[in-house]
Amino acid sequence: MAASWLLLLLLGVTDGQLQVGFYSKSCPGAESTVADVVRQAGSADPTILPALLRLQFHDCFVRGCDASVLVKGSNAEVGNSKHQGLRGVEIIEGAKTQLEAQCPGVVSCADIVALAARDAVAFTGGPSFDVPTGRRDGKVSNLRDADALPDVHDGIDALRSKFRANGLDEKDLVLLTAAHTVGTTACFFLQDRLYNFPLAGGGRGSDPTIPPGFLSELKSRCAPGDFNTRLPLDRGSGGVFDTSILRNIRNGFAVIGSDAALYNDTATVDVVDSYSGLLSNFFGPYFRQDFADAMVRMGSIGVVTGGSGEVRKVCSKFN
Ligand code: HEM
């Protein structure tokens, strides 16, 4: 027993915990470099900020937060249609190139994804928060692994169980989905909800839970067969990080089906209500703080630490 502990110590294997400021000695400029890259990218194209936030969700929900989503290759997970529309990979790669020049082989791609998402939240007006680092990059990326990602067609039970499978509860589900306060969706993700929704009496049509006026509005923006037009996920407040997405969900103005599903279940309805009342800004629960905490929890899913995995030289390729 004592011998195996000694061996672990000699190999430099840590206890597998992430820690705030992991690079403070080994690469002191790591966090500021990522922030500079994200700030510049966001000034050139503000739509890249929500894309970077979504990228962390897609990284963490497939094999954990291990940068498996960044790997390219014929069987790599990024080819899975669940990752449709994913953007921002080149921003992560750009930060990686700068960090390799500063401190070769030190800062993992998985940490860059987490830091970039944190900075993207702050630059869209969301909370600023500390992100524990020390993730290492995984050595596997499989096309089919991304099947596990939540889907716009998922009902509340499927969403809850996919979050639970990653150690996240109903509160996390609501808080993290509220990331849809910023960013847009392609009409691709609305086609079935607007034109091909299975109806109770048989046949197909529009999701009957969409209020009639809002249905006409959505149909006028997303014509049948239009996959590419984009519209804000948070109706009326798309560019701003706030709780209006939760009021929209409560009032029937959710744009995608999975957001609407959050108001179909007592447990999540209560969470939506608790954050969408105007008084919660004054008396809590405090959305900004709780969102930040949920991001940190999401960022800890299945992390590779210590002596496992690797620090990739290039984010799109295993070493
Ligand atoms: C609950 C399950 C979820 C589903 C089914 C879902 C689905 C989607 C879909 C379909 C889009 C539109 C993609 C596009 O057309 O480019 C989207 C966008 C987005 N998602 Fe989610 N999402 C979920 C949870 C999350 C979580 C947990 C986060 C982050 C914490 C997140 C962050 C975002 C952001 C920021 C965008 C906007 C991306 C952009 O403007 O480029 N989503 N999501």
Side-chain angles (χ1 to χ4, degrees):
M1 188 67 179
S4 56
W5 273 112
L6 187 63
L7 184 65
L8 285 174
L9 279 172
L10 288 172
L11 288 171
V13 177
T14 69
D15 63 357
Q17 297 298 305
L18 302 178
Q19 65 186 77
V20 173
F22 182 83
Y23 298 112
S24 58
K25 293 209 170 62
S26 56
C27 191
E31 298 207 13
S32 58
T33 300
V34 175
D36 287 347
V37 169
V38 173
R39 189 181 297 108
Q40 276 165 26
S43 320
D45 170 14
T47 72
I48 206 66
L49 299 173
L52 287 168
L53 175 52
R54 182 178 183 228
L55 185 63
Q56 193 194 5
F57 164 53
H58 281 240
D59 182 27
C60 294
F61 267 63
V62 185
R63 303 192 71 86
C65 313
D66 68 344
S68 55
V69 69
L70 303 180
V71 173
K72 293 192 180 136
S74 57
N75 192 45
E77 69 169 71
V78 72
N80 190 304
S81 61
K82 288 283 185 83
H83 287 312
Q84 168 116 355
L86 211 61
R87 296 189 309 132
V89 169
E90 72 291 352
I91 309 299
I92 305 297
E93 203 69 83
K96 176 66 174 172
T97 307
Q98 289 195 24
L99 289 172
E100 282 302 293
Q102 278 176 41
C103 2
V106 173
V107 184
S108 68
C109 300
D111 275 342
I112 299 174
V113 170
L115 292 169
R118 181 270 303 270
D119 296 333
V121 168
F123 296 151
T124 54
S128 302
F129 55 98
D130 285 337
V131 164
T133 42
R135 295 167 191 77
R136 290 171 62 85
D137 299 321
K139 293 183 175 182
V140 178
S141 178
N142 276 329
L143 187 69
R144 293 271 64 92
D145 287 344
D147 291 343
L149 271 167
D151 189 278
V152 279
H153 300 101
D154 285 345
I156 189 67
D157 290 337
L159 292 171
R160 287 170 76 175
S161 69
K162 287 177 181 178
F163 273 65
R164 204 174 303 124
N166 286 302
L168 299 172
D169 64 13
E170 287 95 3
K171 196 170 149 195
D172 295 313
L173 167 60
V174 172
L175 285 164
L176 291 167
T177 308
H180 291 164
T181 177
V182 288
T184 56
T185 179
C187 284
F188 172 84
F189 293 106
L190 271 84
Q191 287 295 322
D192 286 350
R193 190 168 191 228
L194 298 182
Y195 304 109
N196 199 22
F197 191 89
L199 300 172
R204 292 191 169 249
S206 308
D207 178 347
T209 66
I210 307 176
F214 187 42
L215 178 63
S216 319
E217 180 186 323
L218 289 175
K219 283 184 160 177
S220 73
R221 299 191 69 170
C222 293
D226 175 358
F227 292 160
N228 298 322
T229 303
R230 300 192 71 85
L231 60 161
L233 284 156
D234 186 9
R235 178 179 185 259
S237 174
V240 188
F241 191 102
D242 57 18
T243 50
S244 130
I245 182 75
L246 295 172
R247 281 186 292 286
N248 273 333
I249 289 172
R250 186 183 64 190
N251 297 333
F253 295 112
V255 173
I256 52 175
S258 50
D259 285 3
L262 299 183
Y263 222 65
N264 282 346
D265 173 90
T266 323
T268 47
V269 163
D270 288 348
V271 186
V272 173
D273 287 346
S274 71
Y275 289 103
S276 47
L278 288 174
L279 288 180
S280 91
N281 286 328
F282 302 102
F283 302 113
Y286 298 103
F287 174 71
R288 293 169 69 86
Q289 180 61 51
D290 291 355
F291 177 81
D293 292 346
M295 285 290 290
V296 170
R297 281 193 290 278
M298 181 174 86
S300 309
I301 298 170
V303 288
V304 182
T305 53
S308 314
E310 62 185 15
V311 172
R312 281 181 219 145
K313 294 189 175 69
V314 173
C315 294
S316 58
K317 278 200 302 200
F318 303 121
N319 289 345

